[in-house]
Amino acid sequence: MSNLFEHKGAKGQGYSQPAPILPESSISLPPSLARKNHARWPRLSEPEMVRHYTWLSKRNFGIDTGFYPLGSCTMKHNPRVNEVIAQLPGIADIHPHQPEHHIQGLLAIFHEMQYMLEVCSGMDQVTLQPVAGAQGEFTAVRCVQEYFRLRGESQRTKVIVPDSAHGTNPASAAVCGFEIVEIPSREDGRIDLDALRAVADETTAVMMITNPNTLGLFEPDIVEASAIVHDVGGQMYYDGANFNAILGITSPGLMGFDAVHFNLHKTFSQPHGGGGPGSGPIGVKSHLAEFLPGPLVKKRPPLGDESQMAIDDMWYGWYQPTRSIGKVQQWHGNAGAVIRCWAYYRRYGRGLRTMSEHAVLNANYLRHAIHKATKEAGVDSMVRDGAEAKVAKHEFTLSLQPAKESHGISAMDVAKGLLDKGYMAPTVYFPLVVPECMMVEPTETESKETLDTFATHFAEVLQVDAETLHAAPITTPVRRVDEVYAARNLCLRHPYDDE
Amino acid sequence: MLAAMGMSSIEDLFEDIPAEVRMTEALPLPPPQSEEEILADARRLLGANVALGDRVSFLGAGLYRNYVPASVFQLVTRGEFLTAYTPYQPEVSQGMLQAMWEFQTLISELVGLPVANLSLYDGSTAAAEALTCSVRVHNRKATQKDTVYVSELTPPDRLSVMYNYCQGADITINLLRHHSDGTLDLDAVSAAVGSCGVYVEQPNPLGILDGGLSELKEILGENTALIVAVQPVSLGLVEAPGHYGADIVVGEGQPLGSPITGGGPIYGIFACSKAYLRLMPGRIVGRSIDVDGKVAYCLTLSTREQHIRRHRATSNICTNETLIALMGAMHMALLGPEGLHSLAVRNMTACLLAKQKLGEIGSIALPHSNNHHFNEFVIELPGSSQDCLAHLDTVGIVGGFDLSAWYPERKNWLLATFTDQTSAKQIELLVAHLAVWASAQGVSA
Ligand SMILES: Cc1ncc(COP(=O)(O)O)c(C=O)c1O
């Protein structure tokens, strides 16, 4: 089927509009303002448009289509009631500039989310403004930067990240203007304290790290690492992308961190929408709280007339931190995403710990099942753990390096083979420290049957000969896409006939 | 499952977490709820809010309450779109990849520039990233190094985002003066020659369509990026900035495809000319072929991005606003060129009628009324906008935006907004109540 611009169907508009309030002739734009030529947009009827996007949707794979074990992305089920809630006019039809007395219910939910994230993370103050994990990183590092400026410690120009860190960590710190110091991980993928000691000094501003780390392993030396950084006067930053592993069990606060971002869309199931939207709130300890972007939500008992509109006898209002870095998004962040995540959190409430327990159980079980299935199929020599560990947390890594060496089968080949089995492939080639890496995260919302079947299919893929696997996938809407061709023959928009 | 792993308790899975960092108490949170209970609570809490549709609303100031056709919501919640993530496996992500490549084309045609990415977080971050991008591209030849110029009318919250994103690269942001009629002072723009970028908005934050902006590129020359922020719907009537020399076009995509939703999730538009392509932020889809030579789409030029380039990336963005951009694409696909034109006419004539009617009230003034406006304009009141808005609120009208929040000395400036959702009746209502309130001010003064 064709692209949107090749439809040669009906002329006209896909939906009818009321007549304008005044005749069009009442508008008289001068030549310096008036548009001369229409955008060359397609002209589709509603049924044509509906078919086009329905057809496209069938060429796309989501969690609803099948198992989506994409490591580091926490692709858990997205409950549909959350979509119903997000369409309620009390959020969909709210303007961020409405006065406080118009949005008490929204502010109450914001406050509840700030509080929930504070108690789960051991931080003192949360802001919901950042709209994705990367923006949370940027915001928190900015706060630390201003904190040091105020203390006259502008010589702290460096941010330390492990080589296993997600790309956004160094990128976010760089946007703030910091120099990046990358430290190598140990053989087993964990943080190398000696390497950290060697670089931590009075120029260190922040160390950014995620725990469990990007290999899905808990860093047992995290308290020691925090101490090393704090001893030289630096701050500890927690990348919360892997928060799904530890809710109610431990917290960044207990591990000694000063600031944290949450990938709310991951841990609390805002649908990822093919790439976004997300939500990336941050939490900080009290010494950083007044630097946060404003406004934050605070509550107090209602005064006078307010009691009529108060929610459960509380009045919610905006609070502007006194040394705020300002804004990182013009409005109040991705409020609609926060609402969906609130609905997800409410399913667990104080039982959030069971969510993490099930996520960790599923990950360990799947790791076990894959090893068992590959052994039974006699292909266990083709795959090994990305890092030695008795237990993983919510995700784990595998290395296909042996398969590459013995059979010429790469992690990408296995990924494409899994597509043919009807799965989304795990994350490949991240973290960079594991050769031929495959990173698997099943989440808590998958059943044992799904995990068992996936393990069996995984072992089956490893039994396929290299040549066949190189040609995979064959059952998908298109076969292997030539990314080099795309980059060499840039075609970034529809080539109109006259171009 | 535990038994299969030779474990006896779920605790065994957490033995690697040292005791010293363990939580010792249960989370101080309420008990779990069922779907029905959550929905009931959501209805109670969100129902306590005043939705704009419950009132007569004239509040815009950067976000606009347009009608979004029903099929957009129906289609965008298809699970294959909704529950997917970044299309790193293109073979099973052709649907979203193609839809985003089409989005790029729709935006490219709309703004008159050859390249568009598949969204940034919102209009403010798109504007901020445009500034840093302009410095990356032009700094080498710039005579005013690390320097950009921004309209002084830019709302402080947007400006604040720009400062946050620019400070790390030591970029100086200077402000550009405006005349008292609200248009840009073109003479003052010569000060920006030799800088890396100039940022203006069309319509500007006061709703003014400023014809002078079409002369900017000639003043600035090739070595300074002209960055124009747009209200995309206005481009059904107003010239596309790419056609008068804009190098980068950004904007709040929201009026196309998305409800306001408290200010997010919405999507930021980012489009540019080819010269900026390799240093621009965000994801881009390219059309390619598969091994059989079939048309296929994939992410391209990824070497600009954080997952490959790490701290040398052109931006730190990873998760973006794809799904909301998809809503925008669907809305645009339904509108077609004539539909967009009609939508722009409806928005602009609503504003025009309001201007005519409000202009008849003697006790208020319209300080910039000699200009063409899109969506909104300033009303100068005989008292404070704060008082006026409080009064209108008591009669069920959300009267607009108190501009003293942007320009502290403008206590009496109200920004009133009119969209395709504004009826003649609503305008009459506003006029009637404003007239009464304004004349009462005269009496008490
Ligand atoms: C470990 C890690 N850190 C940070 C991020 C960035 O988050 P976001 O994509 O929401 O910006 C991600 C995910 O994409 C991640 O996996």
Side-chain angles (χ1 to χ4, degrees), chain A residues 14 17 24 33 35 40 57 90 93-95 101-102 145 249-250 274 327 330 346 350 416 482 493, chain B residues 21 30 33 41 49-50 53 60 65 78 84 91 108-110 160 167 237 239 262 288 334 341 346 393:
Chain A
Q17 301 183 51
E24 188 181 337
L33 285 171
R35 183 162 193 140
R40 286 172 292 176
S57 76
D93 201 13
I94 293 294
H95 193 293
H101 68 273
H102 281 191
Q145 187 172 37
I249 296 155
T250 175
K327 304 212 81 170
Q330 190 175 342
R346 281 287 195 98
R350 67 170 71 111
K416 302 300 182 193
D482 192 339
R493 52 175 238 150
Chain B
V21 301
Q33 285 182 311
D41 251 357
N49 296 334
V50 174
R65 202 170 161 267
R78 285 186 67 92
E91 297 83 5
S108 152
E109 279 293 308
L110 180 67
S160 174
Q167 70 87 36
L237 277 167
E239 185 59 292
S288 184
L334 275 176
H341 179 82
R346 288 170 65 205
D393 191 45

Side-chain angles (χ1 to χ4, degrees), chain B residues 362-364 381-384 434-445:
Chain B
S363 46
I364 66 171
L381 301 166
S384 82
L434 259 188
V436 171
W437 178 82
S439 59
Q441 300 303 301
V443 173
S444 59

Side-chain angles (χ1 to χ4, degrees), chain A residues 121-126 139-141 143-144 147-148 151 204-209 222 225-239 251-262 282-292:
Chain A
S121 64
M123 295 291 125
D124 296 315
Q125 180 67 55
V126 161
T139 308
V141 174
C143 290
V144 172
Y147 167 79
F148 281 133
R151 289 167 57 99
T204 302
V206 190
M207 163 150 208
M208 303 177 83
I209 185 170
I222 193 65
S226 295
I228 293 169
V229 172
H230 284 146
D231 281 350
V232 297
Q235 296 278 292
M236 285 294 282
Y237 179 78
Y238 181 86
D239 174 339
S251 76
L254 288 166
M255 297 179 220
F257 286 92
D258 304 284
V260 41
H261 86 255
F262 309 91
I282 65 170
V284 296
K285 295 297 253 182
S286 56
H287 61 282
L288 296 171
E290 291 302 320
F291 295 91
L292 289 174

Side-chain angles (χ1 to χ4, degrees), chain A residues 72 132-134 137 166 168-169 239 241 261 263 265-266, chain B residues 85 318-319:
Chain A
S72 203
E137 296 164 6
H166 192 263
T168 53
N169 290 187
D239 174 339
H261 86 255
N263 286 76
H265 44 300
K266 300 180 181 174
Chain B
Y85 207 12
C318 179
T319 296

